[in-house]
Amino acid sequence: MIETIKEHLTQVEKFTADNLNDIEDFRIKYLGKKGLLNDFFAEFKNVPGDQKKEFGQTINQLKTAALEKVNALKAELENKQQEANIYGDLTRPGTPLELGSRHPISIVKNQIVDIFSRIGFNVSEGPEMEDDWHNFTALNLPEYHPARDMQDTFFIQTDPDILLRTHTSSVQVRYMENNQPPIRTISPGRVYRNEAISARSHCFFHQVEGLYIDKGVSFADLKQTLQYFTTEMFGKSRIRLRPSYFPFTEPSAEVDVYWGLETETDYKMTKGTGWLEIMGCGMVDPNVLQNCGIDPNEYSGFAFGMGIDRIALLLHQISDIRMLSENDVRFLKQFKSVL
Ligand code: PHE
């Protein structure tokens, strides 16, 4: 009899289970009302007197072992469940990493920078908070110049001399103040204008402005450069220059590129004319050169400026400029580019 109990003892010690049902079966088998332990205890009275002590001890051993086993297995199971709650199923396949994509504004800006860098333009940047001098006065817009109204300005309330730049021409002023010709630089950046926000205009947008100053730079150089740009950027080399006015350039022009009228989209984009206005440009006004410490008798140059947002909207047929600043991932992840 004792041998049988000892055998059970080994079995109990070896027993393992990984679910509650098996543990419960085990508990009932040994510790239940009709369990083996009760059977063994019932046997006690039939055991000869000299064996009673050892028999009793062995049954007690078996009882303790069975109880401990049940408790240990239950504790282990609980631990595992807690871990599973923290980490989930550790064997499940991982979630794929979502790769981000560049913002359409950055894509277009990088394209423009890349095109001009191939013909020797460097990139210059300046502060978005500007002073009156760099944004207006140096650019031939003295204090009461009516053309200041062309650009509704956000002023910093506590200091009327400080404002949010309305164009990156201010960077060109800074560049000319700090560098002597030859100058070939483009200035990309965010600019601000106090305009009602709608699908077509926003109170901030992005520009790339360019500046080329050297001896003997002519309007023909300007046209060549722009033609190179439109060919590289849009694959279109036919451009036209319409007379226009900017205080800082003389003469000034508006640049249209001939887009064509092949598809319905072409019609929409060009309002049926085939022509698309893409930027303003002109020969830098001698006053501006003078203001920035460059001798207008020795040097001449051209400048141009375009809106990145507008080009991004056109190229991607985006109907609402606000999409560009709302950071809706469903919109943004449609744009993939290496640039
Ligand atoms: N600064 C002008 C604008 O913001 C663009 C421009 C730049 C025009 C350089 C001519 C020459 O509208």
Side-chain angles (χ1 to χ4, degrees), residues 135-142 145-151 167 169 244-252 281 283-289 291:
N135 195 79
F136 289 129
T137 307
L139 287 161
N140 213 22
L141 284 105
H145 198 290
R148 284 199 184 212
D149 293 344
M150 282 167 74
Q151 306 182 350
H167 49 187
S169 303
S244 183
Y245 171 74
F246 297 103
F248 29 86
T249 47
E250 182 60 37
S252 306
C281 68
M283 301 305 290
V284 181
D285 192 299
N287 287 344
V288 175
L289 294 177
N291 287 340

Side-chain angles (χ1 to χ4, degrees), residues 51-301:
Q51 290 174 23
K52 270 196 173 15
K53 189 176 170 197
E54 196 194 349
F55 189 85
Q57 278 174 347
T58 319
I59 307 180
N60 275 329
Q61 248 180 324
L62 181 63
K63 188 180 173 183
T64 320
L67 264 176
E68 275 174 6
K69 188 52 114 184
V70 168
N71 289 339
L73 286 176
K74 275 191 180 165
E76 198 182 313
L77 198 65
E78 232 164 68
N79 268 349
K80 267 195 200 152
Q81 272 165 353
Q82 264 172 11
E83 252 171 51
N85 285 346
I86 296 171
Y87 299 114
D89 176 5
L90 290 176
T91 61
R92 75 194 187 283
T95 30
L97 278 182
E98 274 232 41
L99 281 185
S101 55
R102 279 201 203 287
H103 194 280
I105 295 282
S106 299
I107 296 174
V108 172
K109 183 197 83 176
N110 292 346
Q111 276 174 333
I112 298 173
V113 166
D114 190 56
I115 289 168
F116 281 105
S117 71
R118 295 207 288 273
I119 52 170
F121 281 74
N122 66 11
V123 173
S124 48
E125 283 178 341
E128 292 182 17
M129 262 170 119
E130 260 301 359
D131 51 34
D132 182 280
W133 170 258
H134 291 98
N135 195 79
F136 289 129
T137 307
L139 287 161
N140 213 22
L141 284 105
E143 203 176 340
Y144 294 107
H145 198 290
R148 284 199 184 212
D149 293 344
M150 282 167 74
Q151 306 182 350
D152 289 325
T153 309
F154 286 117
F155 289 93
I156 305 300
Q157 235 171 10
T158 46
D159 186 347
D161 189 48
I162 307 293
L163 47 93
L164 293 175
R165 68 182 178 195
T166 61
H167 49 187
T168 54
S169 303
S170 55
V171 182
Q172 304 181 333
V173 173
R174 288 178 179 275
Y175 197 86
M176 285 188 277
E177 285 173 341
N178 295 310
N179 297 276
Q180 277 300 306
I183 288 173
R184 268 174 283 175
T185 189
I186 53 170
S187 322
R190 179 174 287 181
V191 301
Y192 301 83
R193 291 185 196 176
N194 190 0
E195 273 173 32
I197 298 170
S198 71
R200 315 214 117 252
S201 68
H202 212 298
C203 60
F204 64 80
F205 56 99
H206 305 78
Q207 281 191 326
V208 176
E209 297 217 354
L211 180 71
Y212 189 129
I213 297 175
D214 205 345
K215 287 182 179 153
V217 178
S218 72
F219 205 86
D221 298 317
L222 168 60
K223 190 173 177 190
Q224 281 292 303
T225 306
L226 297 181
Q227 209 161 25
Y228 158 78
F229 169 71
T230 59
T231 312
E232 295 294 303
M233 184 78 195
F234 309 113
K236 320 259 178 195
S237 60
R238 199 168 146 204
I239 60 172
R240 74 179 179 196
L241 297 161
R242 280 180 293 112
S244 183
Y245 171 74
F246 297 103
F248 29 86
T249 47
E250 182 60 37
S252 306
E254 226 49 85
V255 184
D256 299 341
V257 54
Y258 189 70
W259 199 261
L261 283 172
E262 274 159 35
T263 65
E264 204 184 317
T265 314
D266 294 346
Y267 268 89
K268 260 199 243 159
M269 281 167 75
T270 66
K271 299 196 186 96
T273 65
W275 290 95
L276 208 58
E277 183 185 319
I278 51 158
M279 65 173 115
C281 68
M283 301 305 290
V284 181
D285 192 299
N287 287 344
V288 175
L289 294 177
Q290 192 105 49
N291 287 340
C292 302
I294 291 172
D295 182 358
N297 296 317
E298 202 178 339
Y299 294 106
S300 57

